[in-house]
Amino acid sequence: MITPRHHAALPSRRTVLRGALLTATAALSATHLAGCSPSSPSRSASPTPSQSAATTGRDVKRVLLAYFSRPGENYYYGGRTDLKVGNTEVLAQRIAGRIACDTYRIRAADPYPHDYDATVQRNVREQDTDARPAVEGRLPSLDGYDTVLLAGPIWNVRAPMIMTTFTEALEFRGKTVHPITTYAMSGLGTTERDYATSCPGATIAEGLAVRGEEVKDADTEVEAWLRRIGLPAR
């Protein structure tokens, strides 16, 4: 994750209408994907069902877990460690294994560097310019979902700007949104405020913040949070 050692980001703004953003995202994604390895899997608009697929009963909430995670060189107790699986993905897997939900991984059309410092520098540029990094592939539809869990790291006090790309492009009105973060120092950061702005009409409910170095041992914390928000573990 990226530690908050740079100045705070500019306030979030809606730079384009949803329709224009969706078109631009798809176009940018195609451009970047042209340079990817041919072994890269194609992306679908349909979220991936977890091991416990969402049910359709009237009294059961349909849940989408959307997450962005970066492997590679990461912060680790003041030093660095090389992660094959990013901290947020580890946390998302623990949540998805415990509840009925669908999952959607948010991938950058222009992947973030493996190098920690290079990622820090790119993130600061994106925050300073209020950028909207393109999402690879098609975005999911939120139709039919009652609850959306938005998971991502905290970089320089807030979620990566690609999370704003994602939230601004979709219709969250009437949904319940729970922020989930992995962090070094800043907990949920500004995610509650940012999602309230980029998800108009949604209810921003209790979030979950887990220190990046502790995600592998967060089962008890995850289960307690799921019970509190009404999504009890199986």
Side-chain angles (χ1 to χ4, degrees):
M1 67 188 62
I2 307 303
T3 54
R5 59 183 184 179
H6 296 277
H7 55 276
L10 298 175
S12 174
R13 62 178 171 81
R14 288 184 173 275
T15 58
V16 290
L17 296 175
R18 280 195 173 86
L21 179 58
L22 283 166
T23 302
T25 299
L28 285 170
S29 297
T31 300
H32 287 289
L33 284 169
C36 292
S37 165
S39 63
S40 298
S42 60
R43 308 298 166 205
S44 169
S46 300
T48 302
S50 68
Q51 292 178 348
S52 53
T55 62
T56 57
R58 292 182 180 179
D59 58 344
V60 177
K61 298 177 182 176
R62 286 203 64 206
V63 180
L64 176 66
L65 169 57
Y67 70 95
F68 170 77
S69 187
R70 174 189 162 274
E73 188 180 42
N74 269 250
Y75 179 89
Y76 186 80
Y77 291 123
R80 303 289 183 270
T81 188
D82 202 331
L83 300 178
K84 292 183 178 179
V85 179
N87 289 322
T88 304
E89 184 172 2
V90 172
L91 184 58
Q93 290 172 346
R94 276 163 164 66
I95 294 170
R98 285 167 170 75
I99 62 172
C101 70
D102 295 332
T103 60
Y104 176 88
R105 182 170 183 177
I106 302 167
R107 299 176 186 266
D110 180 12
Y112 286 85
H114 177 278
D115 181 77
Y116 175 86
D117 290 328
T119 299
V120 169
Q121 293 165 9
R122 173 173 164 179
N123 178 66
V124 170
R125 289 194 303 270
E126 290 177 347
Q127 288 186 345
D128 285 348
T129 59
D130 200 23
R132 298 294 185 269
V135 174
E136 176 187 297
R138 297 178 182 177
L139 298 177
S141 169
L142 300 187
D143 291 347
Y145 291 107
D146 306 292
T147 300
V148 182
L149 311 180
L150 291 176
I154 291 295
W155 291 356
N156 193 22
V157 188
R158 67 178 300 179
M161 298 305 295
I162 196 169
M163 295 299 291
T164 305
T165 304
F166 182 81
T167 54
E168 286 185 344
L170 300 179
E171 178 55 73
F172 282 84
R173 189 169 302 279
K175 313 298 181 185
T176 298
V177 173
H178 294 275
I180 300 169
T181 66
T182 56
Y183 70 95
M185 301 175 188
S186 302
L188 285 170
T190 64
T191 53
E192 293 170 314
R193 182 193 71 193
D194 294 340
Y195 293 153
T197 299
S198 62
C199 305
T203 298
I204 309 302
E206 180 182 350
L208 173 68
V210 178
R211 189 176 297 277
E213 297 91 340
E214 300 172 358
V215 291
K216 293 181 180 179
D217 301 312
D219 290 349
T220 300
E221 187 175 357
V222 166
E223 291 174 2
W225 174 72
L226 289 172
R227 287 194 298 272
R228 288 198 305 274
I229 67 173
L231 298 176
R234 293 181 294 112

